[in-house]
Amino acid sequence: MTARENILKKLRTSLEGTTPRPDDFNVELVTKPWSYGDTQGKIKQLRTMMESVRTEIHQTTKASWVALFADLLKQKQVNNLLYAPTTEWGKQIDNYWQQNTDLPTLKLYDRLVDEWKNELFFEIESSITSTLGGIAATGSLIVWPNREEPRLMSLVPPIHFAILEASKIVDNFYDAQQKLNWVENTPTNALLISGPSKTADIEQVLAYGAHGPKELIVLILVDV
Amino acid sequence: MSNQDQHRIPVFDALSQHFKENAHQALGNQQLRHNMRSAMDSLMTKRLASMSDEYEREHLRELGNHIRARALSKLPDLLEKLEANLTKQGVQVHWAETTDQANQIILEIAQRRQAKHFIKGKSMVSEELNMNHYLQHHGIEALESDMGEYIIQLDHERPSHIIVPAIHKSAKQVGHLFENKLHTQYTDDVDTLIQTGRKILRQKFFEADIGISGVNFAVAETGSLFLVENEGNGRMSTTVPPVHIAITGIEKVVENLRDTVALVSLLTRSALGQAITTYVNLISSPRKADELDGPEEVHLVLLDNGRTQAFADAQLRQTLNCIRCGACMNHCPVYTRIGGQAYGTVYPGPIGKIISPHLMGLDKTEDLPIASTLCGACGEVCPVKIPIPELLRRLREEDVRPPEETPHTVKGQGARFSRKERLMWKVWKTLNTKPALYRNFSLLATRFRALTPNIMAWSQNHSKAKPAKHTLHELARKHLGEQ
Ligand code: SF4
């Protein structure tokens, strides 16, 4: 018999004569204490949570975010930015960059990682990605990487900008799963990101930028 | 003594059979006790602050318990469902009854890919396999990338805690370790130390052929591997190398995706007092044809290693509810004083005392079930309500049950069985159930109280327990007579 058969057989023998426990999942317990009212309430909670773990948050609008973003990039003195030109946000970036000078060089993630890993790891200084929404209760961004915005885009560059549409902030993780129809719609890799990378492994002292981004900057677009 | 030796905590002869000596040695180490005390105090405070609403906390713990118990009540079916869903999505599932089998599976994958460099996210199951050592033996480097694990790997130690593995070390000790091993300039500034680690490990992620990770929950419904972490090393290990191997115990399955909502909240708050960790990572397939990154191959190794033994007994099965939050350790008066390494097991503290006998056998862990005051703190904080004290008492029974007695539920049963002790209890029972004998015995005991022998270890630190001058019966008779 194979290991698989042995294990399953042992488990089945141990369960002989028993009935499976009923599913008494109580949705209220994971939703009711984690509800924050209207969009304003949700934004407030999300900000509190994210800012407490050193996330930089800016509230802006669909019309003005790019200018603000360009300013932030200048302040942070980054030389290059990884972005996805095919997304709605990418197109806005393209427009703005065409009309303005003295901005970081735009870089594309348009090849297999293996073909430009060196540059991605050691030269790219910042990136910007979209999100599927946010979770107020825990201060998390929901990110499902795809071909346009691959997984490492939100992980390898030291500074990660993320765009969050205020209307897509939900109260809690349960609501997020429902809203995205997550069970039917399982992506290759789904992520919740709740701040810049951190560790408290040495003497419980919190240090940021352990392996992932040292800075996470979220632009909340309040009119979409 | 070299500079490094002065600042390192001695590694114990990390065998659980030497628990008593290890504990003794740890108790005499002031630095260790200071490091542990302050860390555990802070973890306890953080947990409570993040779960201050008693109603919410207690009801959620109840739900956590139900979710885990439900999953275990259908474990074989859920494992098959998990396997089917993962396979459909392109993840290769392997089963291992023993740690040897698991190591072989991993080695075969490595050899097929001609891999020489592994980078590991945190995985306690890989510690069970002693995987690093095994791979090294086959010419493969397995480097830890969790900062805490990296630190202790540099110092040739084993984790002392399942969540914060280097918690027993101070920043100064880490500073000296880096100075000696990495030849950096000494500093005890934590930010600088972490940046040193980041730089070295980034290069290693870049070069690695295979990434290893553990699994916090394996979701049967969607075929997803659910992983929580703060550093990003988990994401790196599971995304950058061309192959990702996840290893987990067979008990880590949950039925539905929504079950993870309750469990992740319990896990991160119980462990570190965090509402959530920085990264929650759900992996459901390898890189798809149109995707630009992510591993080409994803494997899941499901390990038994004694878990079916715990599963076989309805009471002991509760051990497998564990979601590895470490809260029971943080609150344990024994663990807090001796640190994790003294246990000589992969899982230290209260959970270690109830799971290790199944993984290693009671004969190799015979002192663990008795290394507890049964104060109950572990059971009170456990987010999935494992009755740890009750299980400890049960294992104490198994520890002294004659080895040949059936059913033989726990491997190594009867490790502490002693005919002499059994005889003494028999005598004790007879004395206490036969009134005439009892009267004679108590009379003798009170009259010859000066001859009371020393009672083993008790008398070393306590005054000898001598019988009173008169028995209770005599005193009662006197009292009633005087009335
Ligand atoms: S036994 Fe309970 S408290 Fe201890 S690690 Fe497991 S889940 Fe956490």
Side-chain angles (χ1 to χ4, degrees), chain B residues 312-328:
Chain B
D313 182 282
Q315 187 186 28
L316 297 172
R317 186 178 305 156
Q318 299 175 89
T319 313
L320 304 178
N321 280 347
C322 179
I323 56 172
R324 308 275 189 267
C325 71
C328 54

Side-chain angles (χ1 to χ4, degrees), chain A residues 32-44:
Chain A
K32 210 165 156 208
W34 316 102
S35 303
Y36 306 93
D38 60 5
T39 307
Q40 282 313 314
K42 292 185 182 51
I43 294 180
K44 190 162 168 260

Side-chain angles (χ1 to χ4, degrees), chain A residues 4 6 12 21 23-25 109 113 117 147 152 154 188-190 192 194 197 199 201 203-204 211-212, chain B residues 42 66 73 77 83 97 145 148 171 198 202 206 231 235 258 278 280-282 284 290-293:
Chain A
R4 178 182 189 278
N6 277 335
R12 291 224 153 85
R21 303 259 313 224
D23 186 352
D24 56 1
F25 193 93
Y109 199 146
V113 61
K117 203 165 159 191
R147 188 189 164 90
L152 294 177
S154 60
T188 311
N189 183 206
L192 303 184
S194 314
S197 146
T199 182
D201 268 355
E203 256 190 39
Q204 292 260 299
H211 294 290
Chain B
S42 121
H66 285 203
S73 78
D77 292 349
E83 180 184 44
E97 284 181 276
S145 65
R198 174 186 172 106
R202 210 152 240 244
F206 181 78
E231 296 186 0
R235 285 186 65 198
R258 71 168 148 76
T278 303
V280 170
N281 187 9
L282 276 98
S284 305
D290 68 334
E291 290 173 341
L292 300 176
D293 63 13

Side-chain angles (χ1 to χ4, degrees), chain A residues 24-174:
Chain A
D24 56 1
F25 193 93
N26 182 348
V27 173
E28 246 192 27
L29 270 177
V30 292
T31 52
K32 210 165 156 208
W34 316 102
S35 303
Y36 306 93
D38 60 5
T39 307
Q40 282 313 314
K42 292 185 182 51
I43 294 180
K44 190 162 168 260
Q45 167 70 12
L46 177 124
R47 283 194 75 142
T48 311
M49 295 304 287
M50 293 202 90
E51 282 170 348
S52 73
V53 285
R54 217 193 268 183
T55 308
E56 199 178 310
I57 295 191
H58 301 271
Q59 266 170 245
T60 173
T61 61
K62 205 172 170 184
S64 52
W65 77 269
V66 198
L68 169 70
F69 174 55
D71 264 356
L72 290 169
L73 284 171
K74 275 188 207 156
Q75 277 170 34
K76 300 197 181 287
Q77 300 181 334
V78 297
N79 293 309
N80 54 42
L81 171 77
L82 186 60
Y83 84 125
T86 44
T87 59
E88 185 185 352
W89 321 118
K91 285 178 193 143
Q92 278 181 268
I93 291 175
D94 271 341
N95 261 334
Y96 191 86
W97 256 244
Q98 271 157 25
Q99 287 155 27
N100 293 275
T101 50
D102 205 17
L103 288 163
T105 318
L106 295 176
K107 298 276 180 179
L108 310 184
Y109 199 146
D110 57 355
R111 289 156 286 170
L112 285 175
V113 61
D114 322 66
E115 292 166 25
W116 72 298
K117 203 165 159 191
N118 201 48
E119 188 185 347
L120 172 65
F121 261 70
F122 303 108
E123 286 167 32
I124 300 289
E125 294 173 23
S126 67
S127 69
I128 182 162
T129 70
S130 49
T131 63
L132 270 78
I135 299 176
T138 49
S140 313
L141 305 172
I142 309 168
V143 176
W144 290 11
N146 55 21
R147 188 189 164 90
E148 289 177 297
E149 295 177 336
R151 306 183 203 196
L152 294 177
M153 220 168 147
S154 60
L155 181 63
V156 174
I159 304 178
H160 174 212
F161 289 88
I163 297 196
L164 172 62
E165 295 163 63
S167 58
K168 291 189 181 164
I169 303 176
V170 296
D171 281 320
N172 47 62
F173 190 20
Y174 180 84

Side-chain angles (χ1 to χ4, degrees), chain A residues 109 113-114 117 120-121 145 150-156 188-191, chain B residues 119 121 205-206 208-213 227 229 232-245 281-283 285-287 291-298:
Chain A
Y109 199 146
V113 61
D114 322 66
K117 203 165 159 191
L120 172 65
F121 261 70
R151 306 183 203 196
L152 294 177
M153 220 168 147
S154 60
L155 181 63
V156 174
T188 311
N189 183 206
L191 296 163
Chain B
I119 191 88
F205 284 119
F206 181 78
D209 309 303
I210 293 187
I212 296 275
S213 79
L227 244 120
E229 51 126 4
N233 68 315
R235 285 186 65 198
M236 285 278 198
S237 310
T238 58
T239 318
V240 182
V243 179
H244 165 212
I245 306 176
N281 187 9
L282 276 98
I283 298 162
S285 88
R287 179 193 302 185
E291 290 173 341
L292 300 176
D293 63 13
E296 296 150 15
E297 278 179 40
V298 177

Side-chain angles (χ1 to χ4, degrees), chain B residues 394-405:
Chain B
R394 169 68 193 279
L395 288 168
R396 288 179 184 190
E397 270 170 44
E398 301 298 331
D399 224 357
V400 295
R401 233 150 55 84
E404 63 284 353
E405 202 172 280

Side-chain angles (χ1 to χ4, degrees), chain B residues 53-104:
Chain B
D53 180 343
E54 193 183 333
Y55 178 90
E56 189 265 340
R57 177 180 70 229
E58 293 313 313
H59 281 79
L60 198 66
R61 285 177 68 219
E62 193 66 35
L63 177 60
N65 174 281
H66 285 203
I67 290 171
R68 291 297 304 133
R70 168 161 48 88
L72 293 179
S73 78
K74 353 178 151 167
L75 186 57
D77 292 349
L78 293 185
L79 282 167
E80 282 181 332
K81 187 167 179 185
L82 174 76
E83 180 184 44
N85 279 332
L86 284 172
T87 311
K88 197 170 70 196
Q89 288 148 199
V91 176
Q92 299 174 51
V93 180
H94 312 261
W95 302 67
E97 284 181 276
T98 62
T99 53
D100 278 350
Q101 282 176 10
N103 274 327
Q104 263 163 33

Side-chain angles (χ1 to χ4, degrees), chain B residues 107-225:
Chain B
L107 181 65
E108 272 163 31
I109 299 172
Q111 286 172 339
R112 194 165 38 73
R113 299 281 310 200
Q114 293 175 339
K116 286 280 165 241
H117 302 281
F118 276 46
I119 191 88
K120 293 175 63 195
K122 204 165 159 297
S123 155
M124 292 311 293
V125 174
S126 78
E127 300 289 334
E128 272 179 58
L129 306 185
N130 205 357
M131 193 191 85
N132 296 2
H133 189 81
Y134 178 88
L135 290 175
Q136 225 170 45
H137 186 73
H138 289 88
I140 298 169
E141 174 198 55
L143 193 75
E144 300 289 349
S145 65
D146 171 273
M147 288 294 179
E149 294 261 359
Y150 176 65
I151 290 165
I152 54 170
Q153 189 181 33
L154 266 186
D155 217 1
H156 305 291
E157 288 184 19
R158 295 170 84 182
S160 65
H161 191 286
I162 61 173
I163 302 288
V164 274
I167 199 67
H168 57 294
K169 284 188 190 295
S170 67
K172 283 198 174 71
Q173 290 171 316
V174 177
H176 285 293
L177 178 69
F178 278 20
E179 185 187 16
N180 281 291
K181 293 278 164 96
L182 306 175
H183 311 293
T184 53
Q185 197 179 353
Y186 172 80
T187 174
D188 54 18
D189 175 64
V190 171
D191 268 321
T192 315
L193 292 169
I194 295 297
Q195 288 313 308
T196 305
R198 174 186 172 106
K199 209 166 155 229
I200 294 172
L201 289 164
R202 210 152 240 244
Q203 183 66 34
K204 296 289 182 180
F205 284 119
F206 181 78
E207 290 163 4
D209 309 303
I210 293 187
I212 296 275
S213 79
V215 175
N216 292 96
F217 314 113
V219 187
E221 180 182 33
T222 52
S224 308
L225 308 176

